[in-house]
Amino acid sequence: MREILRTSDAVRLSWLTALLADRRIDVVVLDTHMSVLEGSANAIPRRLMVVDEDYAAAMGLLQQAGELDGGKSPHPIGTPTDDGVDRVLGGRVAIRQPIGGYRMAIDPVLLAAAVPDVTEGLVLDVGSGVGTAALCYAARVRGARVTCLEVQRKLVLLAEQNIETNGFGERVTAIAGDLLNPPSELQPASFDQVMANPPYLQAGHANSSTDEAKAASTIEGPADLACWVKFCVQMVRRGGGVTFIHRADRLDELLALMAGATGGTVVFPLWPSAGQPAKRVIVHTSRASRAPMSLAAGMVLHADANGYTDEAEMVLRGGAEIRL
């Protein structure tokens, strides 16, 4: 767990808890019982805590809401600016996002970093949202051409704005479409690399958000994980690669779905901090490969309560590749 802030203002605490809960960020409030023992609800500031993997998203959200001292968060990865645009990769990529609903954390940045370089090649970003992963990849691999496929048209419009803002109009394209009924311009086996950040939660295993766009980004709809894997593998050429970022507790399901169709799979754990179980994994696999699976050392994301490890900083701020 990581501390977001401390406050003895019960009203503010309730507001912040509701704000984070609306973005599906679970919080824990510590020191409540100590305040009661002291005889005053405001005697001891209470600590607002979140799990490590939600820290960056929570800090960015509270920063945007003006709830952090000085309006600044330590080590922001997506830094909101006065023009309503978040900036990633040390400011090299500008991302405009919906004011409400699902907002990016660090997952699409890590995903893009793990996709191998294919200079002059074709890359497909499935479920691309506002284009964060696609733009981060295009910023690193200068010759690559990236196609974004997103079912939510509002996000496609934002992705098109982001593509224009970053000057990638000649190399990045956003298409509205459903992977269950893909647009005709997407032909099977036509991409060198495919990447995807599928919804993490299974339908029926999560409370549906009141925000439809957010629910579509986080909870599986008609297209379950099996549909995502099948589509991604179909779209990549023989010998090409598919890269996913997903929850570690669904790794067995993901590997089972790829069995027989791909090989040379590499599992790259993302450790919240040293000694803690991985909550996310990056999985890269190759179509028609017969190579055995391997488990990489992975990456520790947080050094301590104050920021990211040097290795994570090199990826999140410096735009370095994650070599699998």
Side-chain angles (χ1 to χ4, degrees), residues 248-318:
D249 61 6
R250 296 190 70 184
L251 176 60
D252 56 346
E253 180 184 0
L254 181 58
L255 294 176
L257 291 170
M258 296 188 301
T262 67
T265 302
V266 180
V267 177
F268 188 92
L270 296 169
W271 315 104
S273 58
Q276 291 192 344
K279 298 295 182 66
R280 299 283 191 268
V281 290
I282 295 172
V283 178
H284 177 78
T285 192
S286 298
R287 182 176 180 182
S289 172
R290 295 181 178 275
M293 188 183 79
S294 61
L295 179 63
M299 178 188 296
V300 177
L301 297 175
H302 300 287
D304 50 41
N306 295 319
Y308 291 93
T309 61
D310 290 343
E311 184 181 11
E313 287 274 1
M314 286 297 295
V315 173
L316 297 171
R317 292 184 185 277

Side-chain angles (χ1 to χ4, degrees), residues 35-117:
S35 294
V36 173
L37 290 173
E38 288 292 326
S40 170
N42 297 327
I44 297 177
R46 302 174 192 182
R47 289 176 289 166
L48 193 64
M49 313 288 291
V50 298
V51 296
D52 291 60
E53 63 267 27
D54 287 336
Y55 178 78
M59 292 296 283
L61 178 61
L62 296 191
Q63 179 185 20
Q64 184 186 37
E67 292 290 344
L68 298 179
D69 293 341
K72 297 179 180 179
S73 65
H75 303 280
I77 295 304
T79 307
T81 58
D82 292 338
D83 59 2
V85 175
D86 297 309
R87 302 189 186 279
V88 298
L89 299 187
R92 291 192 297 279
V93 175
I95 303 293
R96 185 177 297 278
Q97 302 186 77
I99 295 175
Y102 178 79
R103 296 179 65 83
M104 71 168 187
I106 62 174
D107 289 1
V109 184
L110 294 169
L111 171 65
V115 179
D117 290 8

Side-chain angles (χ1 to χ4, degrees), residues 84-244:
V85 175
D86 297 309
R87 302 189 186 279
V88 298
L89 299 187
R92 291 192 297 279
V93 175
I95 303 293
R96 185 177 297 278
Q97 302 186 77
I99 295 175
Y102 178 79
R103 296 179 65 83
M104 71 168 187
I106 62 174
D107 289 1
V109 184
L110 294 169
L111 171 65
V115 179
D117 290 8
V118 286
T119 302
E120 303 299 331
L122 300 178
V123 178
L124 176 64
D125 183 5
V126 183
S128 53
V130 298
T132 305
L135 292 170
C136 287
Y137 186 84
R140 189 185 93 234
V141 186
R142 294 294 180 178
R145 288 170 288 166
V146 187
T147 299
C148 303
L149 176 66
E150 172 56 49
V151 70
Q152 299 183 66
R153 293 186 178 275
K154 290 182 179 180
L155 299 187
V156 174
L157 292 176
L158 284 172
E160 290 175 341
Q161 293 179 33
N162 291 332
I163 292 167
E164 181 67 22
T165 297
N166 289 278
F168 289 147
E170 295 184 357
R171 296 198 292 118
V172 182
T173 304
I175 299 175
D178 189 338
L179 64 86
L180 294 177
N181 185 25
S184 59
E185 55 261 52
L186 297 183
Q187 295 297 313
S190 60
F191 293 91
D192 298 286
Q193 295 290 329
V194 175
M195 58 178 161
N197 180 14
Y200 287 155
L201 304 174
Q202 294 173 295
H205 289 73
N207 294 324
S208 180
S209 169
T210 55
D211 184 283
E212 294 183 3
K214 180 183 174 184
S217 299
T218 57
I219 304 173
E220 291 176 355
D224 60 10
L225 185 58
C227 296
W228 281 75
V229 172
K230 180 180 179 180
F231 176 76
C232 290
V233 172
Q234 287 178 338
M235 298 310 297
V236 74
R237 63 170 177 76
R238 290 180 64 86
V242 178
T243 308
F244 295 98

